[in-house]
Amino acid sequence: MLAGPLSFVTAALIMLGSTVWLPSGRAQIDNLVLPIVLFPLIWTALFLYALLARRLTRAYAVVGVLGGVNAALVAARLWA
Amino acid sequence: MVRLPQNETKKLLAIHGWSGVLLGLLLYAVICTGVAAVFEDEIKDWSSALPTRTEAEFPLGLDAAMRRLASETDAYFLHDLSIWPAGGGRLNLLFHVHETDARGRPIERGVEYEVDGNTMRTVARREGVLDDIGGERRSSALADFLVDLHVRLHLPNPYGLFLTGVLGLVMMIAAVTGFLVHRHLIKELFTLRRRRDQLLTARDVHVVAGAWNLPFAFILAFTGSFFSFASAFALPAMAMVAFGGDQAKMFETLIGKAVPEDARAATPADLDAVLRDVRGRAGEEPYFISFEHYGRADGVITLFMEPRQGELTPITYLYSGANGAFLQDKPLLGLAPSFGGQVYALIGPLHFGNFAGPLSKTVWFALGFAGAYVTLTGMLLWTQRRAEQRAWRRMGAVVHWVGYGLPLALLACPYGYFIALASGADAISAQAVAFLGTAALALIVVLLLRRHDAIRRAALFAGAAAMLAMPLVRLAAGGLGWPAALRAGIAVVPAVDLALLFAGLVCLVLVRRGFARPQSAALPDADLPETA
């Protein structure tokens, strides 16, 4: 569960949340392009962490916090 | 050497195996078709070459053709225009508008003209939604079939893209865990124990090929999953968060708006003059032209160029669509160079291997071939080690069917295509029938032969026959002969024919070796399930 759907959803939330906090750069596009490009790497890192973590509760907490913080950023942007 | 605790190593080994075998068959299909798709342009040229060829991909006279076709097109579609080589010396000109479908998703609808690049005469006219138009292109149908299978496994969007994106992630996991579990990676790059038992040799061959291929597999998986996920869900989701769901606004931001909005009518700029100017500036030919806001004062002509010699990232040139004045050159994304734009611009060349012409394409082809080999041998090893279990024996039969049957089915596609062209039948349907028919035949042969070495030999022999006879079938179907092709400067026709003949001969040599030394088969004989 943690390595599969949760990692995928969290990676997607990190990708979307990054649009809010990443600097947009000279061309005003970095905060849009980089999260999409990095999405496969974010998911891979989360997947491997979830499977290799020795303490499952801590892994759930880390993934949950990452997903929660980015979900809050996305929600704030949507309802701004 | 990567040092990990034993428990973690076991877990990684399990992930490596399961990620490989669970979606391995689909991944194998994506890799096989990707290997062929590296030469997409060459396959288009080879399969449907016109007898003569202009020197430039976008020849003089394109401007007149553009105006003539615009006058024949419903004014509703004269919003944007895309022009690109259709293969074989033809050009596609697509006049289109941007709409939304019933579910609110952006689509493109328009009229596409296929013109002979020599005479600018219209060869075909297609009208409708872009996805449907793409399925009607007969001149490039052979290459399009391969590319569509590679990109989305012929499944509808966005499901096919999502699936190939997941396959890319699986390949990444297999590459990363493969790197971590092989504790003596450097040593394994050079370890091939030929005189031990066959399973050990097979394992060594898989590891050697996989170890050499690891960085490349990672790059392909990463870039491929980016392409799939970006279209399938990332871009729409990003548009939702950052632009309130307005995808057009997002693309405008990503690409950059060079000219302020001005809807007044204006005579379109001289495209031939623009092409002359860009050749002078860039020193080469564009590969795609986009004419945004055709016939308007804020029209912009964007010419997409291959990367300059010695560079990896491509560049685009912008001209006014109203008076043809040069506006600026810019990266693919954004109006100014940026880190994100640079990273994005690297993704395409790294995935397609098109940054140094035929040389880099050939290297990408070879590395992709090795990737397909590693995937197949990985699945064969996995099922072979579990052959005492009935379910895995059945899985072994499926692996043999897909592993050897898929390349044969792909080789059958040109037969369907050429025979249909010669007989006036529908080439697009014919190649699909040839693919499916050969796949069904391969399943029967696998179930009849039931032994690994026999299946492998039969597949190699059939592959050799298919490749050796293909140039003849192409010629018999009215394809361009070598003397005529060379006189017209179309080297790709004899080059692809020769490559097929060479590959066919290599397969024959492998068949002969297999008969002479049956014990040297890549894997030991595996009894497949009894036919009912």
Side-chain angles (χ1 to χ4, degrees):
Chain A
M1 182 68 182
L2 178 63
L6 273 182
S7 291
F8 192 89
V9 170
T10 305
L13 285 170
I14 292 173
M15 177 187 76
L16 295 172
S18 303
T19 55
V20 179
W21 56 265
L22 259 182
S24 55
R26 273 182 68 194
Q28 306 294 306
I29 57 167
D30 285 0
N31 61 327
L32 301 172
V33 176
L34 289 174
I36 299 179
V37 171
L38 294 178
F39 170 76
L41 294 179
I42 298 168
W43 178 80
T44 304
L46 286 175
F47 177 82
L48 289 176
Y49 170 68
L51 278 170
L52 295 176
R54 291 184 180 174
R55 289 168 59 189
L56 199 59
T57 46
R58 188 166 71 181
Y60 266 106
V62 169
V63 173
V65 167
L66 282 171
V69 167
N70 283 283
L73 288 170
V74 171
R77 169 61 70 90
L78 284 175
W79 284 303
Chain B
M1 176 171 158
V2 181
R3 288 186 183 279
L4 285 172
Q6 196 180 15
N7 197 34
E8 270 67 23
T9 304
K10 274 185 180 173
K11 274 187 184 176
L12 285 169
L13 193 59
I15 298 164
H16 181 67
W18 278 105
S19 65
V21 83
L22 277 178
L23 291 168
L25 292 172
L26 290 175
L27 184 60
Y28 176 73
V30 171
I31 297 175
C32 275
T33 47
V35 168
V38 168
F39 289 109
E40 176 193 0
D41 294 338
E42 286 77 6
I43 292 171
K44 280 181 189 172
D45 281 348
W46 169 76
S47 60
S48 65
L50 290 169
T52 54
R53 181 75 53 91
T54 53
E55 242 175 66
E57 292 244 60
F58 298 93
L60 193 67
L62 180 58
D63 181 72
M66 176 186 77
R67 288 170 204 280
R68 172 175 57 80
L69 295 172
S71 70
E72 296 170 8
T73 306
D74 184 336
Y76 173 70
F77 296 120
L78 299 180
H79 189 263
D80 290 344
L81 167 65
S82 304
I83 311 174
W84 71 100
R90 301 171 187 81
L91 286 166
N92 281 331
L93 289 90
L94 172 67
F95 292 95
H96 60 283
V97 289
H98 299 268
E99 299 176 343
T100 48
D101 65 10
R103 293 165 65 182
R105 292 176 303 190
I107 54 166
E108 289 165 272
R109 184 186 297 281
V111 182
E112 181 176 290
Y113 299 93
E114 185 177 319
V115 299
D116 181 329
N118 301 294
T119 60
M120 290 296 165
R121 193 174 53 83
T122 304
V123 178
R125 182 188 185 278
R126 300 175 273 268
E127 183 172 340
V129 178
L130 190 57
D131 274 356
D132 299 335
I133 288 177
E136 294 171 19
R137 293 182 188 128
R138 273 163 182 70
S139 302
S140 57
L142 191 55
D144 292 345
F145 182 85
L146 287 172
V147 172
D148 205 41
L149 193 55
H150 173 64
V151 171
R152 54 179 188 171
L153 294 165
H154 286 294
L155 295 171
N157 280 333
Y159 311 108
L161 283 171
F162 198 85
L163 180 56
T164 51
V166 169
L167 292 173
L169 294 182
V170 169
M171 190 168 159
M172 271 178 75
I173 289 297
V176 172
T177 51
F179 175 75
L180 293 172
V181 295
H182 292 295
R183 300 170 70 88
H184 304 281
L185 195 65
I186 303 296
K187 188 179 161 192
E188 284 178 333
L189 286 170
F190 306 98
T191 303
L192 194 57
R193 292 161 288 191
R194 284 184 173 279
R195 290 193 175 82
R196 306 284 176 86
D197 74 88
Q198 290 181 337
L199 195 61
L200 201 60
T201 306
R203 184 254 176 208
D204 282 354
V205 172
H206 171 74
V207 170
V208 168
W212 280 102
N213 208 42
L214 267 178
F216 180 70
F218 183 85
I219 288 170
L220 275 195
F222 169 48
T223 52
S225 58
F226 159 75
F227 279 126
S228 292
F229 281 129
S231 309
F233 87 97
L235 284 170
M238 197 65 92
M240 189 61 73
V241 173
F243 297 92
D246 188 347
Q247 288 196 42
K249 179 74 180 162
M250 181 182 66
F251 284 118
E252 192 181 291
T253 305
L254 284 174
I255 293 162
K257 197 170 178 63
V259 175
E261 191 91 0
D262 186 349
R264 285 176 299 162
T267 307
D270 182 345
L271 195 54
D272 289 341
V274 168
L275 281 162
R276 232 180 354 258
D277 189 83
V278 82
R279 286 178 192 125
R281 288 177 192 276
E284 57 185 283
E285 192 76 358
Y287 65 86
F288 189 90
I289 300 172
S290 164
F291 195 151
E292 203 183 342
H293 293 173
Y294 181 88
R296 276 174 45 160
D298 60 353
V300 174
I301 302 172
T302 307
L303 299 108
F304 295 79
M305 317 300 287
E306 299 286 0
R308 290 193 182 110
Q309 203 156 23
E311 290 182 13
L312 258 182
T313 54
I315 200 160
T316 58
Y317 289 81
L318 268 53
Y319 290 79
S320 162
N323 57 27
F326 174 68
L327 298 174
Q328 69 172 108
D329 56 15
K330 72 174 214 56
L332 279 179
L333 293 184
L335 290 175
S338 67
F339 180 63
Q342 283 284 342
V343 171
Y344 171 78
L346 280 172
I347 300 273
L350 285 177
H351 191 76
F352 304 120
N354 57 359
F355 50 86
L359 179 66
S360 58
K361 282 186 174 185
T362 305
V363 172
W364 251 235
F365 177 89
L367 289 169
F369 190 84
Y373 177 81
V374 170
T375 310
L376 177 59
T377 52
M379 289 187 296
L380 288 170
L381 275 168
W382 185 271
T383 50
Q384 176 63 26
R385 282 179 179 170
R386 290 155 183 79
E388 72 279 1
Q389 297 169 41
R390 191 181 173 82
W392 281 112
R393 278 203 305 277
R394 290 189 183 282
M395 185 64 187
V398 176
V399 169
H400 279 81
W401 171 45
V402 177
Y404 295 110
L406 177 71
L408 290 176
L410 291 175
L411 282 172
C413 290
Y415 282 87
Y417 179 78
F418 290 131
I419 291 168
L421 280 188
S423 60
D426 178 17
I428 295 172
S429 306
Q431 66 184 6
V433 168
F435 178 87
L436 293 173
T438 307
L441 194 64
L443 177 61
I444 293 168
V445 171
V446 165
L447 292 175
L448 285 175
L449 293 178
R450 292 190 300 149
R451 293 179 70 82
H452 169 78
D453 59 342
I455 294 167
R456 181 174 174 273
R457 272 201 299 267
L460 282 170
F461 186 77
M467 286 188 278
L468 290 172
M470 203 177 292
L472 293 175
V473 173
R474 186 186 63 76
L475 268 178
L480 203 56
W482 287 12
L486 290 173
R487 271 198 305 276
I490 309 169
V492 71
V493 169
V496 174
D497 279 350
L498 282 171
L500 284 168
L501 294 173
F502 176 73
L505 288 174
V506 169
C507 285
L508 276 186
V509 170
L510 290 174
V511 173
R512 197 179 144 86
R513 276 192 189 172
F515 275 120
R517 293 184 297 152
Q519 74 280 10
S520 69
L523 287 169
D525 293 354
D527 286 332
L528 297 171
E530 298 290 332
T531 46

